[in-house]
């Protein structure tokens, strides 16, 4: 049986945020949309890289981010949902 113990995440947290976006959307425009989404939440961030999927249908954007609270993390994920072509964020 799994132990489903609820644990609090300590803040601040720094991590690499991966965003998978359809490759049909222009790369520079997507980078700008992501940066704007992160800035709206006051998230410190820096672009790391962008990689294409093996079949070229998707691009994986990586940003190093620092979030100071759960509210800021929730804001981050809510905002990036509006990036055109986004499939998911990790």
């Amino acid at each position: 049986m799994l132990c489903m113990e609820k644990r609090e995440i300590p803040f601040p947290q720094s991590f690499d945020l991966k965003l998978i976006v359809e490759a049909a959307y222009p790369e520079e425009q997507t980078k700008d949309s992501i940066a704007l989404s992160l800035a709206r939440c006051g998230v410190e961030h820096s672009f790391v890289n962008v990689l294409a999927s093996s079949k070229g249908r998707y691009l994986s954007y990586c940003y190093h981010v620092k979030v100071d609270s759960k509210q800021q993390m929730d804001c981050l994920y809510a905002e990036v949902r509006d990036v055109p072509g986004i499939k998911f964020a990790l």
Side-chain angles (χ1 to χ4, degrees), residues 20-32:
I20 309 304
V21 179
E22 293 175 30
Y25 291 86
E27 190 174 320
E28 286 305 312
Q29 183 178 341
T30 299
K31 285 172 63 177
D32 290 345

Side-chain angles (χ1 to χ4, degrees), residues 4-68:
M4 299 301 285
E5 189 177 314
K6 186 175 181 178
R7 295 184 188 187
E8 294 283 325
I9 297 173
F11 289 95
Q13 282 287 323
S14 294
F15 59 95
D16 286 339
L17 175 69
K18 305 271 185 183
L19 301 136
I20 309 304
V21 179
E22 293 175 30
Y25 291 86
E27 190 174 320
E28 286 305 312
Q29 183 178 341
T30 299
K31 285 172 63 177
D32 290 345
S33 293
I34 294 168
L36 183 60
S37 295
L38 298 173
R40 275 195 288 261
C41 296
V43 173
E44 291 180 40
H45 64 279
S46 60
F47 176 74
V48 177
N49 65 10
V50 61
L51 300 170
S53 66
S54 60
K55 294 184 181 177
R57 293 192 305 212
Y58 301 100
L59 294 174
S60 171
Y61 294 82
C62 181
Y63 285 79
H64 187 75
V65 298
K66 179 180 175 249
V67 292
D68 295 320

